[in-house]
Amino acid sequence: MPRRVLTDPEQLCDALEIPFSTQQLDAITAPVEPGVIIAGAGSGKTTVMAARVVWLVGTGRARPEDVLGLTFTRKAAAELAQRVRTALVKAGVIDLTGADEAGEQVVMTYDAFAGRMVAEHGVRLGVETDPVIVTGATRYRLADQVVARAAGPFEYLSRLSPGSVVKNLLQLDDELTSHLVSTRELAEHATKWVRMLDSVPLYRGDMVKAVRVARERAIERLELAGLVDEYQQLKQRLGLVEFSDQLAIAARLAREVPAVSAAVRRQWPVVLLDEYQDTSSAQATLLRSLFSGETVEDGLGHAVTAVGDPCQAIYGW
């Protein structure tokens, strides 16, 4: 069956049998350049993304395999992939009988994308390219081992139960990794903070409660940072990683190895980012390092379409 060639937005509406609004058509037929689509829940964001792929492929601006779609959950990734494929077939842009995985768009979660980067390029940073992913109970068991073996002495952590220390350790490790902050950077900041608090004038010969509590929390965090170091070293010795670890490694690859970013951009000239308002600091750094830069050679102007709704954001920016 010959493939359909689209030349007019009305053809797209007819082919997909969807009466897109003017705003939706503006988003669908936007130039192949960076863009953002801001739309609320139930406004048809996924349908618009699928239609944009149909428009780009149908007008000859891209091939299906040129498209990379990223979203948060495997369910959402599967839904977006199916929507895009169904729309391409329905519009007559691709032939169902002739389609295979080698000639289709790639849609995956942000975590899976980071894992793929590590698997393909992690050796460039000297990291394990086929690590074992740990979650849930295994994370807790490893952190519990670290806490049980901790030599101490601890000035403030000793006031907490072992279970609370384990919980706080895992939370701090996750926060540091998600924000691409090292324990060394944390320790330097906390140490300066303690010194500043120590210089606060006393009230009737003693620290005011707010200052005292802030100082205690900073020292507690310093003590936790040492345990986080041990936890990360234990995972490394065992060849284990968490999703957040892979994301941090992928961000390092994008920032420190320009050849990796260039290869990713060549492989996927068109990128769709779903629910962008929920990206973490590490995810945003990864995407920015891959698909933007000061020059075209560094990614400036790469065709990224970010879709989201700031009113539904889970993070504050």
Side-chain angles (χ1 to χ4, degrees):
M1 184 178 80
R3 295 183 179 182
R4 181 192 299 268
V5 176
L6 301 176
T7 59
D8 186 271
E10 290 300 323
Q11 291 178 305
L12 179 69
C13 295
D14 293 340
L16 296 181
E17 299 178 347
I18 300 175
F20 291 111
S21 68
T22 301
Q23 285 185 322
Q24 288 175 322
L25 284 175
D26 287 343
I28 292 167
T29 62
V32 187
E33 60 187 26
V36 60
I37 300 174
I38 300 176
S43 58
K45 294 192 293 292
T46 304
T47 300
V48 167
M49 282 194 290
R52 177 156 176 76
V53 176
V54 173
W55 176 257
L56 294 177
V57 175
T59 56
R61 290 173 170 83
R63 300 169 301 168
E65 59 267 33
D66 290 337
V67 179
L68 170 66
L70 297 178
T71 188
F72 277 89
T73 66
R74 284 178 291 181
K75 180 180 179 182
E79 179 185 354
L80 178 57
Q82 184 59 41
R83 289 275 195 98
V84 171
R85 191 169 193 271
T86 299
L88 286 168
V89 173
K90 186 174 183 179
V93 172
I94 65 171
D95 184 353
L96 179 62
T97 59
D100 55 35
E101 286 191 10
E104 289 194 21
Q105 75 289 336
V106 173
V107 181
M108 64 181 83
T109 65
Y110 289 98
D111 285 337
F113 177 63
R116 178 168 174 162
M117 283 187 61
V118 173
E120 294 180 353
H121 303 287
V123 67
R124 294 172 182 261
L125 293 178
V127 301
E128 178 65 51
T129 58
D130 189 25
V132 177
I133 301 291
V134 294
T135 57
T138 303
R139 293 178 68 239
Y140 192 93
R141 178 173 59 81
L142 293 174
D144 186 62
Q145 290 179 21
V146 169
V147 172
R149 297 172 185 171
F154 298 108
E155 183 179 357
Y156 291 103
L157 287 183
S158 59
R159 302 178 303 174
L160 305 176
S161 68
S164 294
V165 176
V166 169
K167 179 182 177 182
N168 292 348
L169 187 164
L170 290 173
Q171 181 178 351
L172 182 59
D173 174 69
D174 186 59
E175 290 176 349
L176 288 174
T177 307
S178 296
H179 288 83
L180 303 179
V181 176
S182 67
T183 52
R184 177 185 55 79
E185 291 171 315
L186 172 69
E188 290 176 354
H189 179 273
T191 300
K192 290 179 182 178
W193 181 240
V194 170
R195 289 173 182 165
M196 186 189 75
L197 293 172
D198 285 341
S199 67
V200 174
L202 303 179
Y203 177 71
R204 294 182 178 178
D206 198 6
M207 284 185 175
V208 297
K209 182 179 179 180
V211 174
R212 184 175 67 254
V213 170
R215 184 180 185 278
E216 291 173 355
R217 293 291 182 270
I219 295 176
E220 180 181 307
R221 178 157 287 194
L222 275 169
E223 294 175 346
L224 269 178
L227 297 181
V228 168
D229 269 334
E230 294 180 27
Y231 175 65
Q232 293 176 346
Q233 292 165 10
L234 176 60
K235 287 190 295 182
Q236 193 171 37
R237 288 197 303 271
L238 297 176
L240 306 175
V241 299
E242 300 175 47
F243 287 120
S244 58
D245 296 324
Q246 285 198 311
L247 188 60
I249 295 169
R252 279 189 60 200
L253 282 166
R255 289 183 301 176
E256 300 175 17
V257 188
V260 172
S261 296
V264 170
R265 290 192 295 271
R266 284 194 303 270
Q267 185 172 5
W268 291 297
V270 177
V271 181
L272 302 174
L273 305 177
D274 190 22
E275 304 294 348
Y276 187 72
Q277 79 277 353
D278 288 339
T279 50
S280 66
S281 178
Q283 288 167 337
T285 297
L286 168 62
L287 298 170
R288 185 167 56 248
S289 300
L290 287 174
F291 304 121
S292 69
E294 295 183 0
T295 66
V296 173
E297 290 73 20
D298 294 333
L300 179 66
H302 199 77
V304 177
T305 300
V307 183
D309 177 12
C311 295
Q312 298 182 72
I314 61 174
Y315 296 106
W317 292 92

